[in-house]
Amino acid sequence: MTEIERIVDQHMRAFDGDPWYGFPLMKLLSGVTAEKASARPIPRIHTIREIVLHIAAWEGAALKRLQSGCVELPEEGDWPE
């Protein structure tokens, strides 16, 4: 297995497979409503929604880097609104 294949495998497992650290993201988010994802039960702590947007932003930034070699913050920012 090449290094790229290993990274792709780990990425796929993290989202919807059998990651080394526990449950995959899609399983953790299963059944989470928009209301629950936007709730902030602990002040000054990111909501589920904010964390998902953060992950999505960096997914896009990583894809852009792979396609163009451009290394920069996501267009929507590190922690999108």
Side-chain angles (χ1 to χ4, degrees), residues 2-75:
T2 68
E3 182 65 6
I4 296 216
E5 290 170 334
R6 187 190 68 76
I7 291 169
V8 168
D9 178 62
Q10 290 298 312
H11 185 267
M12 300 284 282
R13 288 171 183 256
F15 278 84
D16 201 21
D18 185 23
W20 61 268
Y21 56 80
F23 298 106
L25 183 61
M26 298 308 291
K27 183 173 183 175
L28 292 171
L29 294 174
S30 177
V32 175
T33 64
E35 181 180 353
K36 185 172 183 176
S38 297
R40 191 181 310 276
I42 303 171
R44 298 185 307 274
I45 298 294
H46 289 293
T47 66
I48 294 169
R49 181 181 183 277
E50 290 169 336
I51 294 168
V52 169
L53 290 174
H54 175 74
I55 292 168
W58 282 102
E59 283 283 303
L63 180 60
K64 184 176 181 180
R65 182 176 185 178
L66 289 170
Q67 292 172 334
S68 69
C70 181
V71 180
E72 58 186 38
L73 285 173
E75 292 177 16

